[in-house]
Amino acid sequence: MKTRAITGFFFILVLVGAVLLGPYSFVPFFSLIGLLSVWEFYRIVARSDVQPMRILGVGFAFIILAVVATYVLGIAPARVLLVSIVPFFSVYILALFRKTVNPINDISYTLMGVIYAGVPFAFFIALGFLNGTFNPYIPLGFLILLWTNDTGAYLSGRSFGRTKLFERISPNKTWEGFVGGVVLAAVVGLNLAQYFDGLTRWQWVVMALIIGVFGTLGDLVESMLKRNVGVKDSGSILPGHGGFLDRFDGLLVAAPLVYLFLKVYGQCI
């Protein structure tokens, strides 16, 4: 428990520092986390009948994140985003030259690694540039709401949890914990507008609700993945916390949805 607390404390400091130090720390740092998450995904799913194209997949994720980075930093125009489509088709072609047991499985897992573990970090990075210029408070607020939801779910579940949420996937999660996490995130979101520039109060609340609901589902999806491949943690790089997929499972589902909500239904202030 002590190791977990110490690791969590310093990891949070690093994350907050990477966001607040500016775009040239924020973008590379979370791009690196995205690439490590993709590699972690390939490591845990690989077995005798599944051999994802790891180098190609990580390279594909790198291109996507690099293209998004150059766009949001104003280095390249919007049309550069089209470049990220090109490696997509190379996955199919390369599979023709590999003598593996199930090439279609290999293609599927390779693309899933990029889409599931890499692309969400591109959306998270884009959250910092919704107005065209870097605003650290939106991605920082996202992280705070994500942590708040996790904390609220843990405390509510431990105190009041009786009704299982998805017992076959995650036996410890309860509906009471789920509701407690969403409510606490919404309460914190209601107050973030007083301290963070960039969004109105109602936008923060809706953002909190999206994170509370879909962050929890992201956690369950990652639990389903680990149960499917027979591992307890996605990695061991963070003592007491597992791997990057374990720490960012909620972000993987919530970040794209929060970005789309803010682009379609909300104008930043």
Side-chain angles (χ1 to χ4, degrees):
M1 190 67 179
K2 182 179 179 181
T3 300
R4 179 181 175 86
I6 293 172
T7 302
F9 175 75
F10 284 104
F11 190 55
I12 288 174
L13 285 183
V14 171
L15 293 177
V16 172
V19 175
L20 293 180
L21 285 175
Y24 292 100
S25 64
F26 171 69
V27 173
F29 180 81
F30 283 97
S31 294
L32 177 61
I33 295 294
L35 294 176
L36 292 173
S37 297
V38 173
W39 182 263
E40 197 172 80
F41 174 87
Y42 292 145
R43 186 187 61 79
I44 65 173
V45 302
R47 53 183 188 265
S48 60
D49 60 336
V50 175
Q51 298 181 38
M53 293 166 264
R54 301 188 190 192
I55 302 300
L56 182 63
V58 172
F60 188 4
F62 175 81
I63 290 173
I64 292 173
L65 290 164
V67 164
V68 170
T70 56
Y71 170 64
V72 298
L73 292 173
I75 300 172
R79 60 178 176 272
V80 76
L81 297 172
L82 296 174
V83 174
S84 61
I85 299 174
V86 176
F88 186 88
F89 301 99
S90 64
V91 177
Y92 307 139
I93 297 170
L94 184 59
L96 293 172
F97 299 93
R98 301 174 82 230
K99 297 179 180 179
T100 56
V101 178
N102 293 306
I104 300 301
N105 281 357
D106 299 342
I107 292 171
S108 300
Y109 276 99
T110 300
L111 293 177
M112 182 180 176
V114 176
I115 295 169
Y116 170 69
V119 170
F121 284 94
F123 281 100
F124 180 72
I125 289 169
L127 280 175
F129 299 85
L130 282 169
N131 269 340
T133 56
F134 181 60
N135 180 351
Y137 297 113
I138 296 177
L140 180 58
F142 180 101
L143 292 175
I144 290 172
L145 293 174
L146 193 64
W147 298 330
T148 300
N149 177 65
D150 288 345
T151 302
Y154 173 76
L155 295 176
S156 299
R158 187 171 182 179
S159 301
F160 311 109
R162 298 291 183 274
T163 312
K164 299 299 182 182
L165 182 59
F166 272 92
E167 188 170 8
R168 66 183 179 85
I169 300 296
S170 185
N172 295 325
K173 283 187 169 46
T174 63
W175 278 102
E176 292 82 1
F178 169 71
V179 172
V182 173
V183 169
L184 185 59
V187 170
V188 172
L190 192 63
N191 291 279
L192 280 181
Q194 300 179 41
Y195 307 101
F196 289 175
D197 295 329
L199 300 177
T200 61
R201 178 168 289 182
W202 78 269
Q203 288 172 324
W204 280 116
V205 172
V206 174
M207 182 172 166
L209 294 175
I210 293 172
I211 291 171
V213 174
F214 291 97
T216 301
L217 292 175
D219 189 328
L220 289 167
V221 168
E222 201 246 353
S223 294
M224 179 173 62
L225 170 65
K226 291 189 294 184
R227 193 171 282 270
N228 186 73
V229 298
V231 299
K232 182 178 184 295
D233 295 316
S234 65
S236 57
I237 195 167
L238 302 171
H241 288 266
F244 290 115
L245 292 177
D246 293 320
R247 290 304 89 211
F248 292 100
D249 47 14
L251 180 150
L252 299 179
V253 175
L257 295 175
V258 167
Y259 178 81
L260 292 174
F261 158 68
L262 292 177
K263 290 298 286 187
V264 175
Y265 293 104
Q267 294 296 319
C268 296
I269 58 175

